Structures are given as C-alpha cells and as structure tokens.
Amino acid sequence: MSDEMFDVVNERDEVIGCRSRSEVHRLGLRHRAVHVLVFNGQGAVFLQKRSRSKDTFPGAWDSSAAGHLAVGESYDAAAWRELQEELGWVPTSAPERRIRLVACPETGQEFVWVYCCRGNGPFCLHPEEIECGDWFPRDVVTRWVRERPGDFASSFLLVWRELERVGGE
C-alpha cells in the first residue's frame, strides 16, 4: 500500500496541514474519510469484507465502500471515487449525505460523512481492497453487529449505530 498524503484537520474539520498516511495513523492525527452504503431494491445493504492485506481491520466487514479523502478532495468527490475504485460501479444518481461523524477513537480520528445510495450492481470488487462482499437485510446486520461486533471495522459499528438511530436508508 502506497504512503498516500492526507489533509490533517483541526477539531472543526478545517485543513491545517498535510501528512503521509503512515504519519497520520501513527500520530493519531485528525483527518477525513467517507463511508458509502449501497442499498438494493429490496432494502438490503451491500457490505464488503476488507482484504486481509489492509493496514487497519484486515478481514473485517465494512461499509459498501469507504476510504480517506485525498489532499484537497471534497467529501462528495471521495464518495463517488470510492464507489468506482472499490466496487467498480457508478450509481445512476448522486450518493446522498446522511450522517456526519466527528473524529473520535472509533473512527480512527476521522471526520466521516456517511452516504447512502440505491443500486443493484453489478459490482467488480477491487481485489487489493476487498476479499468479498454480499447483500444483507438490515435486520440481519443489526443483529450481527450486536452479537458479533468483532466481525466489523470499528468505524462501521458507529456508522451502523447512527444509521439505525436516524432511520431510513
């Protein structure tokens, strides 16, 4: 995995500098990310199982697509990019911003915008990013998260809890 560069942000999510991915994670600096949840026509959500080669939460289940913002990139642009890079898919309408998470230990000090969109694929999963993926009914995910939280990336647990709190998809 290359040592990408990230914007470092303050407690108000304002850019204050730029550091490498490894430095940002090692030093616990605030930075930015997106999570995108893709729901199909039956209301099931597509979840990905992270590649075992990932530097954080290898082999854990996670949002449909998720990733850091590149230097100078907007949250909206990152959501589109992550869908294309990880799922090889472009939605027919823009992903909708649903939830904003503040940087905290659960998110790995990431400010996160959570997006939702509808689609059925087909997906072409990026093998360096994703081991596999599948569709799951919401109630199955809610029960799974409650009973086996260790199966998931920590940020996804917060994403799902907040999505359940605000309702909708």
Side-chain angles (χ1 to χ4, degrees), residues 26-168:
R26 181 174 50 82
L27 298 172
L29 301 174
R30 291 183 197 96
H31 55 296
R32 296 170 166 168
V34 294
H35 281 249
V36 185
L37 297 169
V38 180
F39 291 88
N40 67 16
Q42 292 74 44
V45 64
F46 185 85
L47 298 182
Q48 64 161 279
K49 188 171 186 184
R50 295 166 62 85
S51 164
R52 297 197 186 275
S53 65
K54 298 291 278 183
D55 62 342
T56 58
F57 300 100
W61 287 91
D62 206 346
S63 298
S64 308
H68 296 98
L69 274 65
V71 171
E73 187 176 35
S74 72
Y75 284 99
D76 292 349
W80 279 101
R81 179 179 51 77
E82 289 296 338
L83 285 169
Q84 293 172 50
E85 286 180 4
E86 294 190 357
L87 303 182
W89 179 72
V90 178
T92 56
S93 59
E96 180 185 333
R97 282 189 187 192
R98 297 304 290 276
I99 302 163
R100 183 175 182 268
L101 304 175
V102 297
C104 64
E106 287 175 287
T107 66
Q109 297 304 326
E110 295 169 351
F111 280 95
V112 178
W113 266 105
V114 179
Y115 292 78
C116 293
C117 62
R118 282 202 167 267
N120 294 306
F123 302 135
C124 181
L125 306 182
H126 190 298
E128 292 176 23
E129 298 283 334
I130 301 172
E131 183 177 308
C132 63
D134 207 348
W135 296 99
F136 299 94
R138 283 183 69 141
D139 62 326
V140 169
V141 176
T142 299
R143 186 171 49 257
W144 187 10
V145 161
R146 185 178 59 248
E147 294 173 359
R148 298 181 53 94
D151 289 354
F152 299 91
S154 67
S155 56
F156 176 78
L157 296 172
L158 182 57
V159 165
W160 195 257
R161 184 169 63 235
E162 287 300 303
L163 185 69
E164 290 292 284
R165 185 181 67 76
V166 300

